[in-house]
Amino acid sequence: MSNAMHNKTLTELKAGLAAGDFSSRELTEHFLARIQQHDSELNSFITVTAEQALSQADAADQAIAAGNTGLLTGLPIAHKDIFCTEGVRTSCGSKMLDSFIAPYTATVVEKMAAEGAVMLGKTNMDEFAMGSSNETSYYGPVKNPWDLERVPGGSSGGAAACLGARLAPGATGTDTGGSIRQPAALNNITGLKPTYGRVSRWGMIAFASSLDQAGPMAQSSEDCALMLQAMAGHDHRDSTSLNEKVDDYLGALNNDIRGLTIGIPEEFFPDTLDGAIADNSRDAIRELEKLGAKVVSVSLPSVKLSVPAYYVIAPAEASSNLSRFDGVRFGHRCDDPKDLEDLYKRSRSEGFGDEVKRRILVGAYALSAGYYDAYYRRAQQVRRLIRDDFARAFEKVDVLMGPTAPETAFKLGAKKDDPVSMYMADVFTIGVNLAGLPALSMPTGFINGLPTGTQIIGNYFREGQILNVAHKYQQATDWHKQAPVFGGEQ
Amino acid sequence: MSWEVVIGLEIHVQLNTVSKLFSGSKLSTGAEPNTQASLVDLGMPGTLPVVNKEAVRKAALFGLAINADICRHSVFERKNYFYPDLPKGYQTTQLAEPIVGAGEVEIQLENGEKKTVRIHHAHLEEDAGKSLHEDFHGMTGIDLNRAGTPLIEVVTEPDMSNAEEAVAFARKLHAIVTSIGICDGDMSQGNMRFDVNVSIRKPGEPLGTRTETKNLNSFRFMERAIKLEVERQIDVLEDGGEIVQETRLYNGDTHTARSMRSKEDANDYRYFPCPDLLPVAITDADLEALKAAMPELPNARKARFMDDYQLSEYDADLLSGSIATATFFEGAAKAGGDAKLAANWVMGELAARLNAEDKDISDSPVSAEQLGQLIARLKDGTISSKIAKQVFEACWAGEGDPDTIIEAKGLKQMSDSGELEKIVDDIIANNAPQVEDYRNSDDAKKKKKIGFFVGQAMKATQGKANPQQLNQLLREKLQ
């Protein structure tokens, strides 16, 4: 039985725990053993918190016995190493924070723990979430479980890979420009970026504050709904978290989608797009048509400006957000600084990797006197146009769909020396962040044995509707159930 | 041809909120270093700011007090620079859309004229921590207790033309912020800090190059620093030199100033709107509520003092100038039952004594009630004004209430006319030559010469004789 446990969804595991088929301790030990056995190949975890996990599991077993359970009681979850966890190293994938033991816990982690979740450990990621391949991590790249010579995507690459390889049944991620959705697509899992402000950012180390949003990653839409139910909600410690009622995501999963209008933005199917990628997403949309959805064509003319606008705004915010890493109070400090300037220069030069430095430089430039209007202000204007495009589309449609990423997982190192080509990996996901909309990526088939994903974008606070559409699709198909042949077992 | 001086001020006013601008930490007053610095104040990764509504309310109240437009959606921005006592690597402040727009403050000049100083704007911002350079063996210690303390920075137009005007403005601003209760006004604690921008020019010429002298924390230092800088600029220009745009530091102890950094070294602060904070919304209802709650402003108080207490405009201006002085004056006037006397004592004896010991009126050893009691005894004739000064000194020295002192020292005026009459008779009998001389003098000279007998009588009574009664008696007996 335990061999099959890792192929079960969170929802199935929850039922198994409730039925007494296995204990949380057995479940947790099973996943810890899998991590120990396989993660040396994948490198999806930076820190495994086995001891803490087992004590949380024991507490969960007691809670289950007492009939005192929360949404996630006893379910093992892996947290992206961007979330502060009190007493546990929180590295953000950077040498800068290699020795940083967080003195407090992020709201997301706290809320999930309050619902009984068991933390397996902290997953690998691009340094400070800057990257689309997980190659910028100080802890080395994560491998794609579908092909160990390929990247898992990023920045939540560790989360997606450990889910794809069934080393964890659920994981948290963060998405600033596609960092949940793109790796979800590349690892054949489901991941949701909620509406900006739906999930608290307190305790989530900032990359680009106006774009960053945490979300759930799991095997199915149903599991994402379960996790989001625990993660979402207003937090008085985050001024940008919105005081909107949290919907009943689980309750909405089985809503009828007959009459639903799906918009297909022509910009998401450009002539240059790989035909096989386009076909997989068109097939998925056709499947939903069979379930009663209507399909219309729409246009988002400004979305083509997403990537350049994003690569001004996100680095600009990052250049400021990362200023606190100065070697004074926490994080890496160089040896024997000879004066203050030397302390700053060497601590930051040594502590940050190349991609982080590149973005700090780009961002500082975009905000500097004489360039602010040409870059930062202009990018904000473009951002408004993009938001307006989406708003116009949502006057006519319920959801928008298209491919999540323009290609399947690429080879490790393939884009190492070509940042712009790397940035284009997020061409379909970034617009959503600029607009602050919710969007989900779900598995929709393979190309040469590599997963592809399709994105469902909803209007503000329509996470329930997105999850509902994805769930209906996943009930009718089984792409999301495919797991890689990995470690000699299935 | 003489030089014309142009002065503009930037004033940091520390708001007296319970907690910091973006965190729940209490404002620090003398706590151990870094004990009043939370995760947010330390700039811990992942922490976020939440704006203190009370600070917003107090800033808007200030705006209303100076007749300014209140920005309905003011925006916090980040001012980016590296400094060890700046934990996040940026200061959260306001730039393009500050909460308080253009306003004005009227000041009273010593020649009795009024002048309006225009306020360019005032914005909310957080204070930085402190760098401690002593006691760390060549290293610098960082204390972040002050980091995040709410300030409003008030920026004037260059409307002042000498140090006295600048001080008059600074005092008026102090009066306003303390009157509306948004700042404790304790200069020694850095509650108000002044940056002065000074330039000089020949009349009719365009503005000269200005310098900025930063962080002056008393009216006196500000006045002296401005005068010093004006003299320096005149010397430079008259020697054929040029003024360099720079930031200067004034040392009050040595009365010297030095250049801190020139314009070329200035940072590019890369301001941009803080993405962690929403614009601060202020509604019509908020403004109405603030207006309804507006305490009495210095100008209204001044008018009331002139009406209610028949004070001259000059006296009313001085006494209404600070909330502490005004409250003290009104307390003494009420307790003593004589506003004019209270005004004279507060502006005279008390002010001189406070000044001599460099004390604030709120730390006066003589309370308003005690001064009132003294005035009451003066008014009811129990003591003379001369004795009153003696009682005041004793009261200042902590010897008790005026009534207690008068009783203990036997300072009551001699009210028994029989006793005084006997003393006067003795003096006349014992000073025959002087009596003779007095009687032979004309009226004008008599007025002067009677002083001798008054002096003798006062000596004999240890000053307790009622002066009117004594004069009357002497004039009768000497005829």
Side-chain angles (χ1 to χ4, degrees), chain A residues 200-212:
Chain A
S200 168
R201 292 189 296 118
W202 174 261
M204 188 176 120
I205 298 176
F207 159 18
S209 313
S210 75
L211 301 159
D212 297 343

Side-chain angles (χ1 to χ4, degrees), chain B residues 140-160:
Chain B
T140 294
I142 306 296
D143 177 8
L144 294 175
N145 282 351
R146 198 181 68 181
T149 297
L151 307 173
I152 50 172
E153 182 174 336
V154 182
V155 181
T156 76
E157 297 286 357
D159 285 351
M160 287 147 284

Side-chain angles (χ1 to χ4, degrees), chain A residues 22 120-121 152 245 331 371 439 486 489:
Chain A
F22 41 81
L120 290 172
K245 172 175 109 14
Y371 297 97
F486 178 76
E489 52 166 316

Side-chain angles (χ1 to χ4, degrees), chain A residues 71-118:
Chain A
L71 280 168
L72 303 171
T73 300
L75 296 174
I77 301 288
H79 288 299
K80 187 174 180 179
D81 208 18
I82 198 169
F83 294 104
C84 285
T85 42
E86 187 175 351
V88 176
R89 173 174 63 183
T90 301
S91 75
C92 222
S94 180
K95 180 183 178 185
M96 182 60 86
L97 292 177
D98 184 44
S99 60
F100 179 66
I101 310 293
Y104 74 109
T105 298
T107 299
V108 162
V109 176
E110 200 175 76
K111 284 179 80 105
M112 294 178 82
E115 292 292 344
V118 171

Side-chain angles (χ1 to χ4, degrees), chain A residues 84 100 103-104 201-205 209-210 236-240 317 319-321 323-325 329-330 340 344 348 364 367-369 372 376, chain B residues 39-40 42-51 78 80 82-84 86-90 139 142 144 268 270-273 275-278:
Chain A
C84 285
F100 179 66
Y104 74 109
R201 292 189 296 118
W202 174 261
M204 188 176 120
I205 298 176
S209 313
S210 75
H236 65 91
R237 293 171 295 193
D238 175 2
S239 309
T240 60
E317 293 182 12
S319 72
S320 175
N321 283 333
S323 293
R324 67 189 63 201
F325 303 106
R329 294 164 312 284
F330 42 73
L340 183 60
Y344 287 152
R348 289 169 66 80
L367 291 174
S368 60
Y372 183 92
Y376 186 78
Chain B
L39 296 170
V40 174
L42 293 170
M44 276 289 163
T47 58
L48 296 167
V50 176
V51 73
R78 293 182 182 178
N80 295 284
F82 286 98
Y83 204 71
L86 187 71
K88 301 186 296 292
Y90 55 83
M139 310 260 285
I142 306 296
L144 294 175
D268 178 354
R270 294 175 282 118
Y271 281 94
F272 75 109
D276 288 329
L277 291 162
L278 306 176

Side-chain angles (χ1 to χ4, degrees), chain A residues 415-487:
Chain A
K415 301 191 177 189
K416 209 171 74 192
D417 301 320
D418 188 357
V420 174
S421 138
M422 182 78 86
Y423 297 166
M424 293 311 286
D426 295 328
V427 63
F428 299 138
T429 48
I430 275 175
V432 163
N433 297 81
L434 290 169
L437 292 164
L440 171 147
S441 176
M442 60 180 185
T444 48
F446 294 81
I447 300 172
N448 300 325
L450 294 171
T452 64
T454 294
Q455 187 175 211
I456 306 172
I457 305 167
N459 211 340
Y460 299 105
F461 296 104
R462 295 291 178 80
E463 287 82 359
Q465 186 170 44
I466 297 172
L467 290 160
N468 168 218
V469 174
H471 180 65
K472 285 290 189 182
Y473 175 80
Q474 291 180 339
Q475 297 231 292
T477 59
D478 64 359
W479 296 119
H480 65 291
K481 291 183 180 158
Q482 308 299 311
V485 177
F486 178 76

Side-chain angles (χ1 to χ4, degrees), chain A residues 180-194:
Chain A
I180 286 176
R181 292 159 288 156
Q182 181 253 15
L186 270 46
N187 292 275
N188 207 50
I189 61 144
T190 305
L192 171 70
K193 181 206 97 75

